[in-house]
Every structure is written in structure tokens, then in C-alpha cells.
Amino acid sequence: MKRFFGFVKKEFFHIIRDPRTLVILFGIPIVEIMLFGYVITNELKDIPVAVLDKSGDEVTVEIQNKIYSSGFFLRGGNLYSEKEIEKAFRKGHIKQVIVFEADFSEKLEKEGTAHIELITDASDANTASMIVSYTNAIIQDYMSYRNRQLQMPLQINVETRMQYNPELKGSYMFVPGTMALILMLISAMMTSISIAREKELGTMEILLVSPLNPLQIVLGKVAPYFGLSIINAITIVTLGNLVFGVPINGSIVLLMTLVMLFILMALSLGLLISTVAKSQQQAMFLSMFVLMLPTILLSGFIFPIENMPWLLQVLANIMPPKYFIIILKNIMLKGTGFEYVWKETLILIGMTVVFIGLSVKKFKIRLE
Amino acid sequence: MNTREVIIDVENLVKKFGSFVANDHLTFQVYKGEIFGFLGANGAGKTTAIRILCGLSTPTAGKIWVAGFDAFHQTEQIKRNIGYMSQRFSLYDDLTVAENIAFYGGIYGMSRKEIKEKTEVLLNKLEFSSQKNKLISDLPLGWKQKLAFSVAIFHNPKIVFLDEPTGGVDPITRRSFWDLIYEAAENGITVFVTTHYMDEAEYCNRVSIMVDGKIAALDTPEGLKNAWNANNMDEVFLKITRKL
């Protein structure tokens, strides 16, 4: 045990003394979460909005003026029929179309209620929901101003429709996604690189000749990164919660347990890579192409898996991050318990076992 | 000579990789406190043999005893009783001199107190105390090498294996490195060394020369030179490798 701790201590020296490692370990997670967080929840400014005004009366013009003078929105032109809506979106820069029903002010006065429909491009889900809530607020503001002068309160029904991504998938997605990405990066990439470094420097031979057994060597290499990954996971969840209000609705204990499982999976994947890679550079490239890119592109983090061609869907299904992201979304956002994520958990456990098995086998072959 | 204590006893060592025979019935003995040179061209099977003696690789057949332990079943005990240094010096560049020593002492199970005391003694002996907290990467090559050797025998092993320890160093540094090797041998540590440099072969007590997986010659440098009618080890080596 004392030998083992000596080994772990040595690993910490390596980590602390290498500025590059430190940046990857602690800089990237924070930068990444801030980046994803702020890029997605950026404040609204000059969003082009088009109008389909079927009544064109005093009230609708007044509402339009209020919306356009708010500073959040730009005039994106007037549309004259429902058919033009789709076209306007397709052209690209219009983010929202506001549809006033026919005879708007007449209905408002006679029946006390009128309809506005907000159709929003939700391919960028976070921005879409912000656009809707800003527009809504302006309309409500206008109504309360008008209602002050009347005894009978009038009502404008605002109906919203999200185009392209009706369930607003993707909101808050950045925290689970970033977490998967970063844990993958640190656990798998850093371990594989640090083992490859020992091989490259020839120190691995010395370790193997020493009374340390291979299991102790591997655990000693992996333990520090396990610890650091957990710290990073906590940082990401805390930052996401405090800065961006991403909720943790489910059990924190369950969350952390499954986070540790994922870290274990990533570490065993890193081990497997290190048994194949002969140099640090190889380990880095392998980690990049085998782990990082698929995590970003195929995990459902940025691109929805349902929209991929079937071949990529098949690939996405063998990528561990996909299941981790499902688990995180369920526990953090939906607040569900273990009964909803046991399948994904089993898949991750299975993957971990396979990776460890393969690495042990490869490690033995290398020793021969 | 034969009355001395045998520390490595190898009888008909065979190691095959598939149909390729890397070590073909090697038989030799190494005595306690001896400096044993293990020579051979690249690919002659030196590395394979060393790996087996160090307990890293299992032999295919033969009887092999290292420091009194069986190389088939007692590799753990063998590892505890040997030291090892390779061409690549095996020190961590980003650790200090003292940290490297402490790390290696630690993995050989030495106590913290023992490590501390022996570190003082070692650094004083090497006149190196002022560099104690310097990173290895800041040291000149010759110093790294001396330190790597000192680290390899820090836990006082019975045998130390040196795999081309002086690669890439100038002759003067090599000479002073050999002073350390002699000192270790005088203290009873058996030195098993492979080298490319024939001037170093002259420093050994006995030398074996491997060709194509077999031991082609084994004697003192003097004996070899007489037998092959050569002026120096270089000639001996050339004659043996060409003849076979």
C-alpha cells in the first residue's frame, strides 16, 4: 500500500509540474462550460422578426411598433400569406414570424380577446425560447398598459409554435454534453498519454522490473485522474447550476455514482488506447479521433441523433457518451430516479468490463 | 573461480517466439560480485535473455536461477532482489533528484527514514548535495547517468542489470561511470552489463559473446584475446561474429 501511495504521489508531481496538463485539467473545463453556456444563453439583440399582419389595424401596428422599438428585434419585413412563412425561415435570417389574426382590434373590442401566433425557429433551442419570452413580455406589457384605461380587461391570446425543434431539445444540453466531453478528455486522453509517456521515456520498463505488479502500476496511473475527474465533474455541475441555472432535479448521490461509473469507463478506454499507442503523440491522436470527435459529433450533444443517417445512428449507439448524456439529462433535468436509467447504466457497466478485459489481455501480450 | 558463489545459474535456456528461436540453449553462470559483460550484435538475443533474467518474460525451457530464485515461478522474489538500468536512464525529468531517489526507494519498499538517510550518504558521496532539489531535466547527461545507476542500486540489490548503460556518452564520462560500477562490485553487487563499446568489454571480469541466439564465447577478456589471437576485444568480437 505504501508503494502504491508513493506511486500516486509521483503521478501528482507529473501533473502539477506540467503547465500543459494543468491547463487541460482545470482550464478547459471552465472555459468550455462558460463558452457553451454563454454562447447558447447569449442576450438577445437585433433579432430579425417578420410580421404577417392579416388585419393591419391600429392595434396591431401599435404592438408591432412596441416590439420593434424594444431594441431586441429588427424589422424582418412583412409577409402577406401563410405560405410565405416557411419561405422566410428557409431564407435564413428570420428567427420569428408574428401572425396577427384578421380583424384583430375589432375582435379585441367586441369579444375582449384576440389571437397572436408566434412562430419561432427553434433549431437553436435556447435562443428560440428567449425570443418567445421576450416577445411575450412586450405584448403583455402593452396589454396591461391598455387595460389600465378600461374596466373590462381585454385579452390577447398568444400562441407559440416552435418550428423545427418543437420539444426544445438542446436547452440545458450543454451541461451534460460538456461533462461527457470533459470527463472523456481528462480520463481517457490524459491516462493514455501519461502511460504512453512512461513507455516512451523507458521508465515503464523500470516499473515492470520493480516489485510493483502490473495491476499496481495501472491503478497508480489511473487513481490521480479518477480523483481529478471527480473534482471536474463537481465543478461543471456547480458552475452550470450557479451561473446558468441548470437544475439538479434528481438525487445527487445517484448522479455522482453514475458520474464515477462513466469516469471508470473512460479510464478503461484510456488504458486500452495506451496498450495500443507506442508514443504520447499516438495516444493523443487516437484519443482525439476515437474519443473526442465522436463525443462531440455523435453523442447527441450538438446534433440530434434522430436526425442522423442510419449508419451514423448505428455508430452513435456504440458511443458511450450517448448513454451518459441520457443518464445526466434524466437525473439532472427530469429528476428521474434509477428506475429510468438502469438500462443505460447496464450498458456503461458492460462497456467498462469489455474495455478492462481487452486492456488486460493486450497488456499481457505486450509483456511477452 | 569455480569455488565462488554462483548468483545467476542458467542451464539450457530456450526462448521461442512462435517458430523463431531467440535464445538457443544458453548455458552460463555468473558469480557473486562479478562484472559480467553480455555482448552481441543487435538481434542476437541479448535483450530477450535479460528480460527473462529480470522476470519480465517466461522462458520456454531450461533451468534458470537468479539470486537463488526460479525464473519460471518466482519472478516476484527475483524482482525484489535485482536492480535495473537501461540506456534511457529511467529517471523522471520533471521530478527533482531527491524525489526520483525517494520514488524508486519507495517502490522497493524502503522506509521513509531509510530513504532519507541513504539519500544523504549517496549525494555526499557523489558530491551532489547542492543539486538535491534540482529537476533532472536541468542536469547534464553524465550526471543523469551516474544518478540513474545509483538509483538502480539504491535498494542494495544482489544483482544489477545494466542494459547498454553508457549509450551516447563520451569516453571520459564513461570511464568515471565505470568507477561507480567497480565500487558496486566491490560492495558485493553482481553487475550484469550489456554494451556496444568494446573498450568497456575490457573492463569486465568475464565476457560472453552471443551470436544468433547462442553463446559463441565466454571467458575473461585476456582469455578471449589469447584464444582468438587478437590485440583487443574489438578484434575478438569481429572474428567471432564473422566466423560464425
Side-chain angles (χ1 to χ4, degrees):
Chain A
M1 229 26 208
K2 214 177 65 198
R3 289 180 191 168
F4 178 71
F5 282 122
F7 198 102
V8 172
K9 192 168 143 200
K10 182 213 81 167
E11 281 310 307
F12 271 111
F13 283 139
H14 288 321
I15 294 168
I16 291 165
R17 301 233 167 111
D18 183 14
R20 272 182 313 176
T21 312
L22 275 183
V23 167
I24 294 180
L25 278 179
F26 294 107
I28 287 183
I30 294 173
V31 168
E32 207 129 286
I33 196 114
M34 289 299 183
L35 202 71
F36 284 124
Y38 276 118
V39 165
I40 296 173
T41 57
N42 214 343
E43 227 175 280
L44 290 190
K45 208 187 154 219
D46 297 345
I47 302 288
V49 168
V51 168
L52 171 56
D53 191 347
K54 292 180 192 164
S55 90
D57 56 43
E58 196 183 313
V59 181
T60 61
V61 171
E62 218 173 322
I63 294 177
Q64 283 173 46
N65 285 340
K66 248 187 115 54
I67 288 173
Y68 286 133
S69 63
S70 67
F72 303 122
F73 303 108
L74 278 184
R75 277 179 200 278
N78 290 318
L79 308 179
Y80 299 100
S81 76
E82 305 270 356
K83 280 183 211 150
E84 286 178 326
I85 297 175
E86 181 71 19
K87 240 192 263 166
F89 277 124
R90 298 237 158 181
K91 264 197 217 156
H93 61 280
I94 299 286
K95 293 286 176 215
Q96 177 172 258
V97 175
I98 305 175
V99 184
F100 295 94
E101 67 174 331
D103 309 322
F104 191 87
S105 71
E106 215 180 301
K107 276 190 184 162
L108 194 62
E109 251 148 65
K110 282 189 187 153
E111 298 165 25
T113 154
H115 276 84
I116 295 178
E117 192 180 7
L118 303 179
I119 305 167
T120 309
D121 175 359
S123 51
D124 179 352
N126 263 19
T127 314
S129 59
M130 284 178 70
I131 292 175
V132 168
S133 64
Y134 275 53
T135 319
N136 238 325
I138 294 169
I139 295 169
Q140 295 310 326
D141 193 43
Y142 171 78
M143 283 314 298
S144 61
Y145 154 78
R146 280 217 35 185
N147 283 346
R148 238 178 284 149
Q149 308 163 338
L150 295 167
Q151 284 121 353
M152 257 284 283
L154 301 176
Q155 211 183 344
I156 297 181
N157 287 329
V158 181
E159 194 184 308
T160 52
R161 202 166 88 204
M162 292 296 184
Q163 201 89 330
Y164 307 123
N165 185 3
E167 288 163 52
L168 282 186
K169 284 182 188 165
S171 61
Y172 294 143
M173 263 302 282
F174 71 98
V175 163
T178 317
M179 189 122 117
L181 188 65
I182 286 172
L183 294 183
M184 211 56 166
L185 178 82
I186 288 166
S187 311
M189 186 158 138
M190 302 304 282
T191 345
S192 66
I193 290 178
S194 92
I195 293 181
R197 178 163 59 193
E198 300 255 7
K199 275 195 217 162
E200 209 176 305
L201 294 176
T203 45
M204 192 49 121
E205 265 173 77
I206 311 290
L207 296 177
L208 290 173
V209 175
S210 81
L212 287 172
N213 63 45
L215 188 69
Q216 277 175 313
I217 297 175
V218 166
L219 286 181
K221 285 253 121 195
V222 158
Y225 293 104
F226 188 73
L228 291 170
S229 298
I230 291 176
I231 294 177
N232 264 316
I234 294 172
T235 313
I236 295 169
V237 171
T238 315
L239 267 182
N241 187 272
L242 295 183
V243 182
F244 302 110
V246 179
I248 308 164
N249 292 324
S251 143
I252 292 189
V253 177
L254 180 62
L255 179 70
M256 287 321 288
T257 313
L258 293 180
V259 163
M260 282 187 227
L261 171 64
F262 183 72
I263 294 174
L264 212 62
M265 191 286 310
L267 289 174
S268 49
L269 200 52
L271 274 185
L272 186 59
I273 289 178
S274 71
T275 58
V276 182
K278 288 188 183 68
S279 66
Q280 292 182 68
Q281 232 166 14
Q282 261 188 23
M284 180 122 99
F285 274 116
L286 272 174
S287 308
M288 276 291 187
F289 289 113
V290 180
L291 302 180
M292 298 300 299
L293 289 182
T295 306
I296 297 174
L297 301 178
L298 292 178
S299 63
F301 168 27
I302 292 179
F303 306 113
I305 294 176
E306 308 80 275
N307 298 355
M308 292 175 187
W310 71 269
L311 186 64
L312 288 183
Q313 284 199 29
V314 170
L315 276 176
N317 279 322
I318 54 171
M319 296 292 161
K322 177 194 158 177
Y323 302 100
F324 184 55
I325 289 178
I326 293 176
I327 291 175
L328 287 181
K329 269 184 6 190
N330 270 304
I331 298 178
M332 290 178 69
L333 307 182
K334 296 188 192 156
T336 54
F338 186 65
E339 64 272 21
Y340 288 95
V341 293
W342 65 270
K343 257 190 264 169
E344 285 77 15
T345 309
L346 271 186
I347 292 175
L348 283 184
I349 292 177
M351 285 176 165
T352 312
V353 171
V354 169
F355 291 144
I356 290 181
L358 280 176
S359 337
V360 168
K361 211 173 152 200
K362 286 244 171 200
F363 200 66
K364 279 196 179 140
I365 292 171
R366 275 193 60 84
L367 277 181
E368 274 302 302
Chain B
M1 215 34 151
N2 285 337
T3 54
R4 291 169 64 188
E5 189 186 333
V6 174
I7 192 123
I8 301 177
D9 193 355
V10 177
E11 213 184 306
N12 288 319
L13 161 60
V14 177
K15 176 71 184 181
K16 289 181 186 168
F17 295 102
S19 62
F20 173 73
V21 183
N23 290 159
D24 189 0
H25 295 89
L26 305 186
T27 299
F28 61 92
Q29 291 181 323
V30 180
Y31 306 111
K32 187 169 188 291
E34 182 178 39
I35 300 175
F36 188 85
F38 202 58
L39 274 56
N42 283 335
K46 283 178 301 178
T47 309
T48 309
I50 284 204
R51 287 177 70 86
I52 291 171
L53 296 179
C54 290
L56 281 184
S57 170
T58 319
T60 311
K63 283 181 186 164
I64 301 108
W65 299 87
V66 179
F69 298 105
D70 180 5
F72 283 93
H73 308 296
Q74 295 176 301
T75 53
E76 283 309 305
Q77 286 94 324
I78 289 178
K79 285 178 179 178
R80 264 178 240 277
N81 285 288
I82 61 169
Y84 178 82
M85 171 189 171
S86 78
Q87 194 178 5
R88 291 186 284 182
F89 303 135
S90 54
L91 296 171
Y92 292 98
D93 267 351
D94 51 351
L95 301 192
T96 65
V97 172
E99 283 162 0
N100 264 293
I101 298 175
F103 171 65
Y104 282 111
I107 62 176
Y108 280 92
M110 292 168 70
S111 75
R112 204 172 293 177
K113 194 172 150 243
E114 200 183 348
I115 291 173
K116 216 182 152 198
E117 285 167 8
K118 281 195 82 177
T119 304
E120 295 274 306
V121 175
L122 172 66
L123 292 180
N124 279 332
K125 190 187 82 188
L126 293 174
E127 294 167 3
F128 215 51
S129 297
S130 58
Q131 315 287 313
K132 190 176 164 187
N133 294 317
K134 260 200 175 173
L135 293 181
I136 295 296
S137 54
D138 297 334
L139 298 181
L141 192 61
W143 276 112
K144 283 189 204 174
Q145 193 185 37
K146 281 185 187 175
L147 201 61
F149 179 72
S150 307
V151 163
I153 58 168
F154 192 67
H155 58 289
N156 212 4
K158 290 189 176 138
I159 310 163
V160 62
F161 290 90
L162 308 175
D163 194 1
E164 295 184 8
T166 53
V169 218
D170 60 88
I172 298 166
T173 319
R174 233 152 63 202
R175 183 62 246 193
S176 75
F177 180 72
W178 273 84
D179 289 341
L180 285 177
I181 296 184
Y182 278 123
E183 195 193 312
E186 272 162 30
N187 290 330
I189 297 176
T190 308
V191 180
F192 190 100
V193 56
T194 74
T195 180
H196 274 325
Y197 301 110
M198 289 307 143
D199 59 321
E200 285 190 336
E202 311 255 7
Y203 303 151
C204 300
N205 298 129
R206 285 192 308 147
V207 170
S208 83
I209 297 178
M210 267 188 90
V211 181
D212 294 337
K214 293 182 180 127
I215 291 184
L218 198 175
D219 203 345
T220 60
E222 285 310 309
L224 285 174
K225 278 186 273 189
N226 289 336
W228 293 86
N229 196 19
N231 294 320
N232 53 39
M233 285 303 293
D234 232 350
E235 275 180 38
V236 173
F237 189 75
L238 283 176
K239 281 184 175 172
I240 288 176
T241 47
R242 280 195 189 149
K243 192 186 164 188
L244 289 171

